[in-house]
Amino acid sequence: MPNPEEHFSRYCDQVCAHVRFRPDHPAIRAELMAHLEDRYRAILDRQPNLPLFEAGDRAAAAMGDPAELGRALDAAHSPLLGWVQIWVHRLLCAVAAATALLIFVPYILSPDLLSSLWSRQPYDEFLLNEAEEATVVADFDCGAFVSTEDYTFTVERTVVQQRDSSLSLYCTIHALHLNPWLRNPYLDDGVWAVDDLGNRHPSWEEPDYDGTLSVWSGFSSPFRTHYIAAVNSIPAEASEITLIFDRYGKNEIYLTIPLRGGESDG
């Protein structure tokens, strides 16, 4: 005598044979099996001594004629509506995939954009052009970084020049944020600096100051923004300088850059 599970499975097969929209068959079978098992357990709870196969027959009988139930389910699971839902879902997935490709493929396929996104190359030419105007005393990858809740700021190439009795610093900074919906941090007018001798170097946009520091943004992507920072009139005796960002009255960024060491131009 077959066990109830096999009996229930055949019952589900008989019902689904009348349902034309096959993609809904797994869901229909799962729901039917759940109802059959519930009825089966309820019958055994009332009559624990009843043979299992008989309890299974009663449970299936309580669900009704499988052909009649199948025709009712077929009317509720319209093939036309079902396929419309499936193709609408596929279309939405295709649109989402196409949108993602339109955003990210240019960075993957274009070497120039990829270079701008992940490297300092677009700024090397600028730094080297600046270096031609004065004696370069240091040219190195700084590697200083700081992380906030949403961003990571990293100082990359750093060029230090001797100008008469003072030093000038040029460096590339990038801000990384993994959430593409975050706004690019605006550092252009919110950064100032202090050297290790205690001298303050204000931004050129600060009121009532003859600023010696400037920051301007370059290439931006959904995940990263590049900047160039320049600090002039640094005393020659200074050995390091710290860039500070505190536009909102709270120090959020400290980036300390050495002014000695690294690889010079000879």
Side-chain angles (χ1 to χ4, degrees):
M1 190 64 65
N3 63 49
E5 291 292 332
E6 294 176 352
H7 186 46
F8 295 163
S9 179
R10 285 200 304 274
Y11 181 87
C12 292
D13 290 341
Q14 292 171 0
V15 171
C16 288
H18 296 274
V19 179
R20 291 169 294 168
F21 189 56
R22 289 184 172 275
D24 279 356
H25 283 191
I28 291 173
R29 291 182 64 88
E31 185 174 357
L32 288 174
M33 289 293 287
H35 287 306
L36 287 165
E37 290 170 356
D38 288 343
R39 292 179 182 274
Y40 176 71
R41 285 192 293 268
I43 291 170
L44 289 178
D45 286 342
R46 292 195 301 269
Q47 297 177 276
N49 295 325
L50 191 68
L52 299 183
F53 70 88
E54 186 174 344
D57 285 341
R58 292 187 182 183
M63 293 289 292
D65 179 64
E68 184 178 346
L69 179 58
R71 286 190 289 270
L73 289 172
D74 180 66
H77 293 258
S78 166
L80 176 61
L81 180 60
W83 284 116
V84 167
Q85 292 175 335
I86 286 177
W87 284 106
V88 166
H89 179 265
R90 291 176 178 175
L91 178 61
L92 291 176
C93 291
V95 169
T99 301
L101 290 175
L102 287 175
I103 293 175
F104 296 111
V105 162
Y107 299 118
I108 298 173
L109 298 182
S110 170
D112 293 336
L113 287 177
L114 185 63
S115 171
S116 298
L117 178 62
W118 294 112
S119 76
R120 70 191 186 204
Q121 290 180 5
Y123 305 99
D124 281 353
E125 183 178 353
F126 170 83
L127 293 176
L128 293 176
N129 287 340
E130 289 291 326
E132 293 176 357
E133 300 178 4
T135 301
V136 175
V137 297
D139 183 351
F140 60 99
D141 288 326
C142 178
F145 74 94
V146 64
S147 295
T148 65
E149 182 177 354
D150 296 314
Y151 303 94
T152 298
F153 298 87
T154 304
V155 180
E156 295 183 327
R157 186 174 185 180
T158 301
V159 175
V160 182
Q161 305 165 352
Q162 180 80 44
R163 295 177 180 273
D164 298 326
S165 60
S166 66
L167 301 176
S168 293
L169 167 76
Y170 295 89
C171 65
T172 57
I173 303 172
H174 70 247
L176 175 67
H177 44 94
L178 298 182
N179 182 349
W181 306 115
L182 283 175
R183 294 181 59 186
N184 295 326
Y186 187 74
L187 303 183
D188 299 47
D189 63 353
V191 178
W192 56 281
V194 60
D195 60 45
D196 58 323
L197 301 178
N199 299 297
R200 189 179 191 277
H201 300 269
S203 167
W204 67 275
E205 292 197 11
E206 289 187 41
D208 303 324
Y209 276 107
D210 182 15
T212 58
L213 182 149
S214 57
V215 177
W216 57 99
S217 57
F219 181 84
S220 295
S221 76
F223 300 102
R224 182 174 298 213
T225 304
H226 290 267
Y227 304 86
I228 294 176
V231 187
N232 295 306
S233 302
I234 305 171
E237 297 79 14
S239 59
E240 65 180 28
I241 192 164
T242 300
L243 302 181
I244 303 171
F245 174 70
D246 63 351
R247 181 186 298 126
Y248 306 112
K250 177 182 178 182
N251 292 330
E252 296 181 351
I253 301 173
Y254 287 91
L255 288 168
T256 299
I257 303 171
L259 299 173
R260 299 289 185 271
E263 181 180 350
S264 70
D265 66 349

